[in-house]
Amino acid sequence: AQSVTQLDSHVSVSEGTPVLLRCNYSSSYSPSLFWYVQHPNKGLQLLLKYTSAATLVKGINGFEAEFKKSETSFHLTKPSAHMSDAAEYFCVVITGNQFYFGTGTSLTVIP
Amino acid sequence: DGGITQSPKYLFRKEGQNVTLSCEQNLNHDAMYWYRQDPGQGLRLIYYSQIVNDFQKGDIAEGYSVSREKKESFPLTVTSAQKNPTAFYLCASSSIPGARDTQYFGPGTRLTVL
Protein backbone atom coordinates (compact mmCIF):
# COMPACT_ATOMS: atom_id res chain seq x y z
CA ALA A 1 0.00 0.00 0.00
CA GLN A 2 1.13 3.53 -0.69
CA SER A 3 0.57 6.11 2.01
CA VAL A 4 1.96 9.05 3.85
CA THR A 5 2.08 9.60 7.60
CA GLN A 6 2.64 12.86 9.35
CA LEU A 7 3.80 11.81 12.76
CA ASP A 8 2.66 14.88 14.71
CA SER A 9 -0.74 16.49 14.43
CA HIS A 10 0.44 19.53 16.43
CA VAL A 11 3.88 21.04 16.96
CA SER A 12 4.67 24.06 19.13
CA VAL A 13 7.96 25.91 19.03
CA SER A 14 9.23 29.18 20.41
CA GLU A 15 10.06 31.95 17.99
CA GLY A 16 13.69 31.70 16.91
CA THR A 17 14.03 27.98 17.67
CA PRO A 18 14.28 25.18 15.08
CA VAL A 19 11.26 23.59 13.45
CA LEU A 20 10.95 19.88 12.64
CA LEU A 21 7.83 18.49 11.00
CA ARG A 22 8.00 14.77 10.35
CA CYS A 23 6.73 12.84 7.35
CA ASN A 24 7.12 9.17 6.53
CA TYR A 25 5.89 7.48 3.39
CA SER A 26 5.49 4.04 1.98
CA SER A 27 5.87 3.44 -1.73
CA SER A 28 6.61 0.65 -4.14
CA TYR A 29 7.84 3.17 -6.68
CA SER A 30 10.31 6.01 -6.70
CA PRO A 31 8.18 8.75 -5.20
CA SER A 32 7.82 12.45 -5.71
CA LEU A 33 7.41 14.26 -2.43
CA PHE A 34 6.01 17.68 -1.65
CA TRP A 35 5.44 19.92 1.33
CA TYR A 36 2.62 22.44 1.22
CA VAL A 37 1.66 25.14 3.74
CA GLN A 38 -1.86 26.34 4.41
CA HIS A 39 -2.71 29.47 6.35
CA PRO A 40 -6.22 29.73 7.87
CA ASN A 41 -9.00 29.79 5.27
CA LYS A 42 -6.48 29.85 2.45
CA GLY A 43 -5.44 27.47 -0.28
CA LEU A 44 -2.30 25.37 -0.18
CA GLN A 45 1.01 26.93 -1.17
CA LEU A 46 3.92 24.82 -2.36
CA LEU A 47 6.93 25.02 -0.03
CA LEU A 48 9.23 22.58 -1.78
CA LYS A 49 9.34 19.36 -3.77
CA TYR A 50 11.60 16.37 -4.31
CA THR A 51 11.58 14.67 -7.71
CA SER A 52 14.66 12.37 -7.62
CA ALA A 53 17.31 15.05 -7.96
CA ALA A 54 19.27 16.29 -4.92
CA THR A 55 18.12 14.65 -1.71
CA LEU A 56 18.30 17.92 0.25
CA VAL A 57 15.68 20.25 -1.11
CA LYS A 58 15.50 23.94 -0.30
CA GLY A 59 12.18 25.69 -0.41
CA ILE A 60 10.67 29.08 0.22
CA ASN A 61 10.77 31.00 3.51
CA GLY A 62 13.90 29.22 4.74
CA PHE A 63 12.39 25.73 4.83
CA GLU A 64 14.20 22.64 3.61
CA ALA A 65 13.59 18.90 3.59
CA GLU A 66 15.78 15.88 3.18
CA PHE A 67 14.72 12.76 1.32
CA LYS A 68 16.04 9.67 3.12
CA LYS A 69 15.20 6.56 1.20
CA SER A 70 16.57 4.19 3.84
CA GLU A 71 14.26 5.74 6.43
CA THR A 72 11.39 6.43 4.00
CA SER A 73 11.24 9.92 5.43
CA PHE A 74 10.93 13.46 4.12
CA HIS A 75 11.05 15.65 7.21
CA LEU A 76 10.61 19.42 6.92
CA THR A 77 12.97 21.69 8.86
CA LYS A 78 13.72 25.34 9.43
CA PRO A 79 16.57 26.63 11.58
CA SER A 80 14.66 29.48 13.20
CA ALA A 81 10.89 29.78 13.48
CA HIS A 82 9.12 33.02 12.71
CA MET A 83 5.68 34.02 13.88
CA SER A 84 4.48 34.00 10.27
CA ASP A 85 5.31 30.28 10.03
CA ALA A 86 2.28 29.41 12.16
CA ALA A 87 0.09 27.40 9.79
CA GLU A 88 -0.93 23.90 8.75
CA TYR A 89 1.63 21.86 6.84
CA PHE A 90 0.88 18.96 4.52
CA CYS A 91 3.22 16.29 3.23
CA VAL A 92 2.21 14.86 -0.13
CA VAL A 93 3.51 11.68 -1.73
CA ILE A 94 3.03 10.93 -5.38
CA THR A 95 3.83 7.47 -6.68
CA GLY A 96 2.96 6.23 -10.12
CA ASN A 97 -0.22 8.08 -10.94
CA GLN A 98 -1.56 8.27 -7.40
CA PHE A 99 -1.19 11.09 -4.92
CA TYR A 100 -1.63 10.92 -1.19
CA PHE A 101 -2.00 13.76 1.30
CA GLY A 102 -0.95 13.51 4.90
CA THR A 103 -3.44 14.56 7.54
CA GLY A 104 -1.48 17.71 8.31
CA THR A 105 0.64 19.14 11.12
CA SER A 106 -0.47 22.32 12.81
CA LEU A 107 2.51 24.49 13.72
CA THR A 108 2.18 26.98 16.57
CA VAL A 109 4.91 29.56 17.13
CA ILE A 110 5.11 30.98 20.62
CA PRO A 111 6.42 34.53 20.95
CA ASP B 1 -1.33 37.52 -12.71
CA GLY B 2 -1.63 33.83 -13.41
CA GLY B 3 -3.42 31.68 -10.95
CA ILE B 4 -6.50 29.86 -9.81
CA THR B 5 -9.60 31.60 -8.59
CA GLN B 6 -12.45 30.11 -6.65
CA SER B 7 -15.72 31.77 -5.92
CA PRO B 8 -17.40 32.47 -3.68
CA LYS B 9 -15.10 32.39 -0.66
CA TYR B 10 -17.98 31.57 1.69
CA LEU B 11 -21.20 29.87 0.67
CA PHE B 12 -24.28 28.99 2.64
CA ARG B 13 -27.06 26.74 1.45
CA LYS B 14 -30.13 25.10 2.87
CA GLU B 15 -30.48 21.37 3.05
CA GLY B 16 -31.88 19.86 -0.12
CA GLN B 17 -30.44 22.50 -2.42
CA ASN B 18 -27.81 21.96 -5.08
CA VAL B 19 -24.96 24.46 -5.19
CA THR B 20 -22.17 25.04 -7.71
CA LEU B 21 -18.66 26.09 -6.78
CA SER B 22 -16.61 27.90 -9.37
CA CYS B 23 -12.98 27.21 -10.25
CA GLU B 24 -11.14 29.09 -12.98
CA GLN B 25 -7.47 28.97 -13.96
CA ASN B 26 -5.46 31.03 -16.41
CA LEU B 27 -2.31 28.94 -16.15
CA ASN B 28 -3.09 27.00 -19.34
CA HIS B 29 -3.02 23.80 -17.31
CA ASP B 30 -4.54 20.65 -18.74
CA ALA B 31 -5.36 18.94 -15.44
CA MET B 32 -7.73 20.18 -12.75
CA TYR B 33 -8.78 18.70 -9.43
CA TRP B 34 -11.35 19.15 -6.67
CA TYR B 35 -10.60 18.28 -3.07
CA ARG B 36 -12.60 18.36 0.09
CA GLN B 37 -10.91 19.25 3.37
CA ASP B 38 -12.30 18.37 6.78
CA PRO B 39 -10.58 19.08 10.09
CA GLY B 40 -7.91 16.52 10.92
CA GLN B 41 -8.41 14.57 7.70
CA GLY B 42 -6.16 16.24 5.17
CA LEU B 43 -7.44 16.51 1.62
CA ARG B 44 -9.61 13.98 -0.15
CA LEU B 45 -9.99 13.87 -3.91
CA ILE B 46 -13.52 14.33 -5.25
CA TYR B 47 -13.05 14.54 -9.03
CA TYR B 48 -10.27 15.26 -11.44
CA SER B 49 -10.01 16.09 -15.11
CA GLN B 50 -6.96 15.52 -17.28
CA ILE B 51 -8.34 17.12 -20.42
CA VAL B 52 -11.34 19.06 -21.66
CA ASN B 53 -14.58 17.04 -21.84
CA ASP B 54 -13.15 14.28 -19.69
CA PHE B 55 -13.20 13.74 -15.94
CA GLN B 56 -12.76 10.91 -13.48
CA LYS B 57 -14.13 10.14 -10.04
CA GLY B 58 -11.84 10.44 -7.09
CA ASP B 59 -12.13 8.79 -3.72
CA ILE B 60 -15.32 10.53 -2.55
CA ALA B 61 -17.32 11.41 -5.68
CA GLU B 62 -20.74 10.39 -4.38
CA GLY B 63 -23.09 13.35 -4.14
CA TYR B 64 -20.93 15.53 -6.39
CA SER B 65 -20.84 16.27 -10.11
CA VAL B 66 -18.46 18.19 -12.37
CA SER B 67 -18.11 19.38 -15.94
CA ARG B 68 -15.10 20.37 -18.04
CA GLU B 69 -16.41 22.18 -21.09
CA LYS B 70 -13.53 24.63 -21.19
CA LYS B 71 -9.86 24.17 -20.36
CA GLU B 72 -9.86 27.00 -17.86
CA SER B 73 -13.02 26.07 -15.94
CA PHE B 74 -13.92 23.10 -13.74
CA PRO B 75 -17.09 23.80 -11.73
CA LEU B 76 -18.17 21.46 -8.94
CA THR B 77 -21.82 20.91 -8.07
CA VAL B 78 -22.63 19.72 -4.58
CA THR B 79 -25.96 17.96 -4.88
CA SER B 80 -28.61 17.28 -2.28
CA ALA B 81 -27.46 13.66 -2.33
CA GLN B 82 -24.26 14.61 -0.53
CA LYS B 83 -24.98 13.68 3.07
CA ASN B 84 -22.45 15.89 4.82
CA PRO B 85 -21.50 18.72 2.49
CA THR B 86 -20.24 21.24 5.03
CA ALA B 87 -16.51 21.49 4.35
CA PHE B 88 -13.73 23.52 2.82
CA TYR B 89 -13.40 22.85 -0.92
CA LEU B 90 -10.13 23.33 -2.77
CA CYS B 91 -9.55 23.38 -6.49
CA ALA B 92 -6.13 22.70 -8.00
CA SER B 93 -4.51 22.45 -11.40
CA SER B 94 -1.34 21.05 -12.91
CA SER B 95 0.24 21.45 -16.30
CA ILE B 96 0.80 17.77 -16.92
CA PRO B 97 -2.06 15.30 -16.57
CA GLY B 98 -1.25 12.66 -14.03
CA ALA B 99 0.04 13.07 -10.58
CA ARG B 100 3.74 13.78 -11.00
CA ASP B 101 3.48 17.46 -11.67
CA THR B 102 3.16 20.13 -9.03
CA GLN B 103 -0.40 21.06 -8.21
CA TYR B 104 -1.30 24.70 -7.70
CA PHE B 105 -4.22 25.47 -5.42
CA GLY B 106 -6.93 28.07 -5.36
CA PRO B 107 -7.89 29.94 -2.18
CA GLY B 108 -10.80 27.63 -1.40
CA THR B 109 -14.53 27.90 -0.82
CA ARG B 110 -16.03 27.21 2.58
CA LEU B 111 -19.48 25.69 2.21
CA THR B 112 -21.86 25.61 5.14
CA VAL B 113 -25.19 23.82 5.02
CA LEU B 114 -27.78 25.35 7.29
Side-chain angles (χ1 to χ4, degrees), chain A residues 59-89:
Chain A
I60 62 171
N61 300 334
F63 284 94
E64 62 181 39
E66 186 172 7
F67 172 67
K68 292 186 176 181
K69 186 176 181 179
S70 60
E71 299 177 10
T72 61
S73 69
F74 190 58
H75 301 335
L76 182 70
T77 60
K78 182 173 180 177
S80 176
H82 191 272
M83 294 299 295
S84 61
D85 295 329
E88 189 89 10
Y89 291 80

Short mmCIF file of all heavy atoms in Angstrom, two decimals, chain A residues 59-89:
data_model
loop_
_atom_site.label_atom_id
_atom_site.label_comp_id
_atom_site.label_asym_id
_atom_site.label_seq_id
_atom_site.Cartn_x
_atom_site.Cartn_y
_atom_site.Cartn_z
N GLY A 59 13.43 25.10 0.02
CA GLY A 59 12.18 25.69 -0.41
C GLY A 59 12.10 27.17 -0.07
O GLY A 59 13.10 27.82 0.22
N ILE A 60 10.88 27.67 -0.08
CA ILE A 60 10.67 29.08 0.22
C ILE A 60 10.67 29.32 1.72
O ILE A 60 10.50 28.38 2.52
CB ILE A 60 9.35 29.59 -0.40
CG1 ILE A 60 8.15 28.84 0.20
CG2 ILE A 60 9.39 29.43 -1.91
CD1 ILE A 60 6.81 29.43 -0.20
N ASN A 61 10.86 30.57 2.10
CA ASN A 61 10.77 31.00 3.51
C ASN A 61 11.74 30.28 4.44
O ASN A 61 11.48 30.13 5.63
CB ASN A 61 9.34 30.81 4.03
CG ASN A 61 8.33 31.60 3.24
OD1 ASN A 61 8.65 32.63 2.63
ND2 ASN A 61 7.09 31.13 3.20
N GLY A 62 12.87 29.83 3.91
CA GLY A 62 13.90 29.22 4.74
C GLY A 62 13.68 27.75 5.09
O GLY A 62 14.45 27.19 5.86
N PHE A 63 12.66 27.14 4.56
CA PHE A 63 12.39 25.73 4.83
C PHE A 63 13.24 24.83 3.93
O PHE A 63 13.58 25.20 2.81
CB PHE A 63 10.92 25.40 4.61
CG PHE A 63 10.02 25.87 5.72
CD1 PHE A 63 9.39 27.10 5.63
CD2 PHE A 63 9.82 25.09 6.84
CE1 PHE A 63 8.57 27.55 6.66
CE2 PHE A 63 9.00 25.52 7.87
CZ PHE A 63 8.37 26.76 7.77
N GLU A 64 13.55 23.65 4.42
CA GLU A 64 14.20 22.64 3.61
C GLU A 64 13.75 21.26 4.10
O GLU A 64 13.23 21.12 5.20
CB GLU A 64 15.71 22.77 3.62
CG GLU A 64 16.37 22.61 4.97
CD GLU A 64 17.89 22.79 4.86
OE1 GLU A 64 18.35 23.67 4.10
OE2 GLU A 64 18.60 22.05 5.55
N ALA A 65 13.96 20.27 3.24
CA ALA A 65 13.59 18.90 3.59
C ALA A 65 14.61 17.96 2.98
O ALA A 65 15.17 18.24 1.91
CB ALA A 65 12.18 18.58 3.07
N GLU A 66 14.82 16.85 3.66
CA GLU A 66 15.78 15.88 3.18
C GLU A 66 15.09 14.56 2.90
O GLU A 66 14.40 14.01 3.77
CB GLU A 66 16.91 15.67 4.18
CG GLU A 66 18.01 14.75 3.65
CD GLU A 66 19.21 14.70 4.56
OE1 GLU A 66 19.16 15.25 5.68
OE2 GLU A 66 20.23 14.10 4.14
N PHE A 67 15.26 14.06 1.70
CA PHE A 67 14.72 12.76 1.32
C PHE A 67 15.69 11.67 1.79
O PHE A 67 16.87 11.66 1.38
CB PHE A 67 14.54 12.68 -0.19
CG PHE A 67 14.16 11.32 -0.71
CD1 PHE A 67 12.93 10.78 -0.39
CD2 PHE A 67 15.04 10.58 -1.49
CE1 PHE A 67 12.56 9.53 -0.86
CE2 PHE A 67 14.68 9.33 -1.97
CZ PHE A 67 13.44 8.80 -1.65
N LYS A 68 15.22 10.78 2.64
CA LYS A 68 16.04 9.67 3.12
C LYS A 68 15.35 8.37 2.75
O LYS A 68 14.41 7.94 3.43
CB LYS A 68 16.24 9.77 4.64
CG LYS A 68 17.09 10.95 5.07
CD LYS A 68 17.38 10.92 6.56
CE LYS A 68 18.31 12.05 6.95
NZ LYS A 68 18.62 12.03 8.40
N LYS A 69 15.84 7.77 1.70
CA LYS A 69 15.20 6.56 1.20
C LYS A 69 15.27 5.43 2.21
O LYS A 69 14.31 4.68 2.39
CB LYS A 69 15.86 6.13 -0.12
CG LYS A 69 15.17 4.98 -0.81
CD LYS A 69 15.81 4.68 -2.15
CE LYS A 69 15.09 3.53 -2.85
NZ LYS A 69 15.70 3.25 -4.18
N SER A 70 16.40 5.30 2.89
CA SER A 70 16.57 4.19 3.84
C SER A 70 15.60 4.30 5.01
O SER A 70 15.21 3.30 5.61
CB SER A 70 18.01 4.17 4.37
OG SER A 70 18.30 5.39 5.03
N GLU A 71 15.20 5.52 5.33
CA GLU A 71 14.26 5.74 6.43
C GLU A 71 12.85 6.03 5.92
O GLU A 71 11.96 6.25 6.74
CB GLU A 71 14.75 6.91 7.29
CG GLU A 71 16.10 6.67 7.92
CD GLU A 71 16.61 7.88 8.72
OE1 GLU A 71 15.82 8.82 8.94
OE2 GLU A 71 17.78 7.88 9.11
N THR A 72 12.67 6.04 4.65
CA THR A 72 11.39 6.43 4.00
C THR A 72 10.82 7.68 4.65
O THR A 72 9.63 7.73 5.04
CB THR A 72 10.35 5.29 4.01
OG1 THR A 72 10.05 4.92 5.36
CG2 THR A 72 10.88 4.09 3.25
N SER A 73 11.67 8.70 4.76
CA SER A 73 11.24 9.92 5.43
C SER A 73 11.51 11.14 4.54
O SER A 73 12.36 11.11 3.64
CB SER A 73 11.97 10.10 6.76
OG SER A 73 13.33 10.37 6.56
N PHE A 74 10.78 12.19 4.83
CA PHE A 74 10.93 13.46 4.12
C PHE A 74 10.55 14.56 5.11
O PHE A 74 9.57 15.27 4.93
CB PHE A 74 10.06 13.49 2.87
CG PHE A 74 10.33 14.65 1.94
CD1 PHE A 74 11.58 14.86 1.40
CD2 PHE A 74 9.30 15.51 1.56
CE1 PHE A 74 11.82 15.91 0.54
CE2 PHE A 74 9.53 16.57 0.68
CZ PHE A 74 10.80 16.77 0.19
N HIS A 75 11.36 14.71 6.14
CA HIS A 75 11.05 15.65 7.21
C HIS A 75 11.33 17.09 6.78
O HIS A 75 12.33 17.37 6.10
CB HIS A 75 11.86 15.33 8.46
CG HIS A 75 11.61 13.95 9.00
ND1 HIS A 75 10.45 13.25 8.79
CD2 HIS A 75 12.42 13.14 9.76
CE1 HIS A 75 10.52 12.07 9.38
NE2 HIS A 75 11.70 11.98 9.97
N LEU A 76 10.49 17.99 7.24
CA LEU A 76 10.61 19.42 6.92
C LEU A 76 11.28 20.14 8.10
O LEU A 76 10.88 19.91 9.25
CB LEU A 76 9.23 20.00 6.67
CG LEU A 76 9.16 21.48 6.29
CD1 LEU A 76 9.71 21.71 4.89
CD2 LEU A 76 7.72 21.98 6.37
N THR A 77 12.26 20.98 7.80
CA THR A 77 12.97 21.69 8.86
C THR A 77 13.15 23.16 8.51
O THR A 77 13.08 23.55 7.35
CB THR A 77 14.35 21.07 9.11
OG1 THR A 77 15.13 21.16 7.91
CG2 THR A 77 14.27 19.62 9.54
N LYS A 78 13.37 23.93 9.57
CA LYS A 78 13.72 25.34 9.43
C LYS A 78 14.56 25.70 10.64
O LYS A 78 14.20 25.35 11.77
CB LYS A 78 12.47 26.22 9.34
CG LYS A 78 12.79 27.69 9.14
CD LYS A 78 11.53 28.51 8.88
CE LYS A 78 11.89 29.99 8.68
NZ LYS A 78 10.71 30.82 8.35
N PRO A 79 15.67 26.38 10.45
CA PRO A 79 16.57 26.63 11.58
C PRO A 79 15.98 27.54 12.66
O PRO A 79 16.26 27.36 13.84
CB PRO A 79 17.78 27.31 10.92
CG PRO A 79 17.69 26.98 9.48
CD PRO A 79 16.25 26.83 9.18
N SER A 80 15.15 28.49 12.25
CA SER A 80 14.66 29.48 13.20
C SER A 80 13.22 29.85 12.86
O SER A 80 12.97 30.42 11.80
CB SER A 80 15.56 30.72 13.15
OG SER A 80 15.06 31.74 13.99
N ALA A 81 12.31 29.53 13.76
CA ALA A 81 10.89 29.78 13.48
C ALA A 81 10.55 31.26 13.59
O ALA A 81 11.06 31.98 14.44
CB ALA A 81 10.02 28.98 14.45
N HIS A 82 9.64 31.66 12.71
CA HIS A 82 9.12 33.02 12.71
C HIS A 82 7.63 32.95 12.98
O HIS A 82 6.97 31.95 12.67
CB HIS A 82 9.39 33.67 11.34
CG HIS A 82 9.14 35.13 11.31
ND1 HIS A 82 7.91 35.66 11.02
CD2 HIS A 82 9.97 36.19 11.50
CE1 HIS A 82 7.97 36.98 11.07
NE2 HIS A 82 9.21 37.32 11.35
N MET A 83 7.11 34.01 13.56
CA MET A 83 5.68 34.02 13.88
C MET A 83 4.82 33.72 12.64
O MET A 83 3.78 33.07 12.73
CB MET A 83 5.27 35.37 14.47
CG MET A 83 5.88 35.66 15.82
SD MET A 83 5.42 34.44 17.06
CE MET A 83 3.66 34.73 17.17
N SER A 84 5.26 34.19 11.49
CA SER A 84 4.48 34.00 10.27
C SER A 84 4.49 32.55 9.79
O SER A 84 3.75 32.20 8.85
CB SER A 84 5.01 34.90 9.16
OG SER A 84 6.36 34.59 8.87
N ASP A 85 5.29 31.69 10.41
CA ASP A 85 5.31 30.28 10.03
C ASP A 85 4.15 29.50 10.63
O ASP A 85 3.91 28.35 10.24
CB ASP A 85 6.62 29.62 10.48
CG ASP A 85 7.83 30.18 9.76
OD1 ASP A 85 7.70 30.59 8.59
OD2 ASP A 85 8.91 30.24 10.38
N ALA A 86 3.42 30.10 11.55
CA ALA A 86 2.28 29.41 12.16
C ALA A 86 1.24 29.10 11.08
O ALA A 86 0.69 30.02 10.44
CB ALA A 86 1.68 30.27 13.25
N ALA A 87 0.97 27.83 10.87
CA ALA A 87 0.09 27.40 9.79
C ALA A 87 -0.07 25.89 9.87
O ALA A 87 0.46 25.23 10.77
CB ALA A 87 0.67 27.80 8.43
N GLU A 88 -0.80 25.35 8.89
CA GLU A 88 -0.93 23.90 8.75
C GLU A 88 -0.01 23.46 7.62
O GLU A 88 0.07 24.12 6.58
CB GLU A 88 -2.40 23.55 8.38
CG GLU A 88 -2.73 22.08 8.42
CD GLU A 88 -3.19 21.61 9.79
OE1 GLU A 88 -3.43 22.46 10.65
OE2 GLU A 88 -3.29 20.38 9.98
N TYR A 89 0.68 22.34 7.83
CA TYR A 89 1.63 21.86 6.84
C TYR A 89 1.24 20.44 6.40
O TYR A 89 0.92 19.59 7.22
CB TYR A 89 3.05 21.84 7.43
CG TYR A 89 3.58 23.24 7.67
CD1 TYR A 89 3.19 23.97 8.80
CD2 TYR A 89 4.43 23.85 6.75
CE1 TYR A 89 3.65 25.26 9.01
CE2 TYR A 89 4.90 25.13 6.95
CZ TYR A 89 4.50 25.83 8.09
OH TYR A 89 4.96 27.11 8.28
#
